[in-house]
């Protein structure tokens, strides 16, 4: 019957809010398309979310690499500068020893200079030991920086290196002071000798 036919058509289609009337022609298609678009948007959002998460992980890895590489580079630079200072002061101490030997041959009193050069050499040795400690701490500091970055727990990974370099700086500063005192003492000896024989004074 016409009533049964209408009922059969309605059963296969979306019904209106009352559930008793079929939707107007075309509305069901529009709703299906809207649902499809919604599903696609959700899929795109999930994809973008996944891509953003991947980018964040990549950025974390890059930042971790930059931090560890920066730590390694800075430590290496500090150590190189300190080694250069140690070499300069060692050569200066050697030249002063040579000057002392010549002055002693002439009867000059060089005890003060010799004592200060001995102090300088002791401090230079301390600086060398501290630099060696700093060098040995670099690998551990870099590994610690990478581990803390991965775990998300910030830490002062470079502290052992900095502490060792501070000891080296303190020692080399004391060595410098001792060498300056030794030079002043030798200059005073040269002036005394010059005034005695009338010759021109010669600085160490």
């Amino acid at each position: 019957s016409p009533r049964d036919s209408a009922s059969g058509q309605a059963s296969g289609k979306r019904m209106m809010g009352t559930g008793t009337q079929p939707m107007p022609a075309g509305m069901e298609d529009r709703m299906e398309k809207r649902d499809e678009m919604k599903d696609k948007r959700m899929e795109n959002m999930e994809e973008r979310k996944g891509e953003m998460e991947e980018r964040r992980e990549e950025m974390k890895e890059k930042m971790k690499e930059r931090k560890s590489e920066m730590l390694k580079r800075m430590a290496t630079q500090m150590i190189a500068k300190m080694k250069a200072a140690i070499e300069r002061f060692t050569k200066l101490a050697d030249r002063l020893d040579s000057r002392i030997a010549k002055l002693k041959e002439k009867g000059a009193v060089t005890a003060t200079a010799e004592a200060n050069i001995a102090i300088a050499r002791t401090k230079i040795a301390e600086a060398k030991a501290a630099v060696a400690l700093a060098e040995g701490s670099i690998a551990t500091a870099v590994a610690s920086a990478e581990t803390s970055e991965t775990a998300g727990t910030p830490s002062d990974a470079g502290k052992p290196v900095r502490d060792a370099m501070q000891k080296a700086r303190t020692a080399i500063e004391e060595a410098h002071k001792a060498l300056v005192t030794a030079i002043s003492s030798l200059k005073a000896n040269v002036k005394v000798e010059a005034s005695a024989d009338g010759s021109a004074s010669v600085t160490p």
Side-chain angles (χ1 to χ4, degrees):
S1 66
R3 179 177 298 177
D4 293 337
S5 177
S7 175
Q9 290 177 359
S11 63
K13 296 182 178 181
R14 297 190 186 216
M15 307 300 290
M16 296 292 284
T18 61
T20 59
Q21 297 294 327
M23 291 184 178
M27 181 176 288
E28 184 177 2
D29 291 339
R30 288 195 297 271
M31 291 186 69
E32 288 179 354
K33 289 180 179 179
R34 184 183 64 184
D35 291 342
E36 290 177 1
M37 291 178 65
K38 184 177 179 180
D39 291 340
K40 287 182 180 179
R41 282 198 299 269
M42 291 296 293
E43 290 176 1
N44 291 335
M45 287 177 65
E46 290 296 325
E47 289 178 2
R48 286 197 295 270
K49 185 178 179 181
E51 291 173 357
M52 290 176 65
E53 187 64 27
E54 289 179 3
R55 284 198 292 269
R56 279 196 293 268
E57 291 299 322
E58 289 175 1
M59 289 297 295
K60 285 182 181 179
E61 288 297 319
K62 289 180 180 178
M63 288 179 67
K64 179 178 69 176
E65 292 175 3
R66 284 199 296 268
K67 184 176 180 180
S68 60
E69 287 302 316
M70 181 172 64
L71 173 61
K72 184 176 181 180
R73 184 176 66 255
M74 290 179 66
T76 302
Q77 290 174 349
M78 288 191 297
I79 288 171
K81 290 180 180 178
M82 188 56 62
K83 282 185 173 181
I86 289 171
E87 185 178 359
R88 287 197 306 272
F89 289 153
T90 300
K91 289 181 178 179
L92 177 56
D94 292 342
R95 290 199 299 272
L96 291 175
D97 279 340
S98 177
R99 171 60 62 181
I100 286 171
K102 292 178 181 179
L103 289 174
K104 288 177 73 172
E105 289 177 358
K106 297 180 180 181
V109 179
T110 60
T112 300
E114 290 181 67
N116 278 281
I117 291 174
I119 292 172
R121 290 193 183 280
T122 298
K123 295 302 178 181
I124 288 171
E126 290 178 7
K128 285 182 178 179
V131 168
L133 178 61
E135 283 185 300
S137 301
I138 291 178
T140 303
V142 170
S144 177
E146 292 177 351
T147 301
S148 64
E149 187 70 23
T150 301
T153 54
S155 66
D156 192 358
K159 189 175 185 302
V161 179
R162 289 200 310 276
D163 288 346
M165 289 306 298
Q166 183 57 50
K167 290 180 181 179
R169 278 193 293 271
T170 300
I172 209 68
E173 286 172 0
E174 292 176 355
H176 178 253
K177 291 178 182 178
L179 290 172
V180 168
T181 301
I183 290 172
S184 298
S185 175
L186 292 178
K187 283 184 178 180
N189 272 292
V190 170
K191 288 179 180 178
V192 170
E193 180 186 352
S195 62
D197 59 15
S199 60
S201 64
V202 179
T203 57

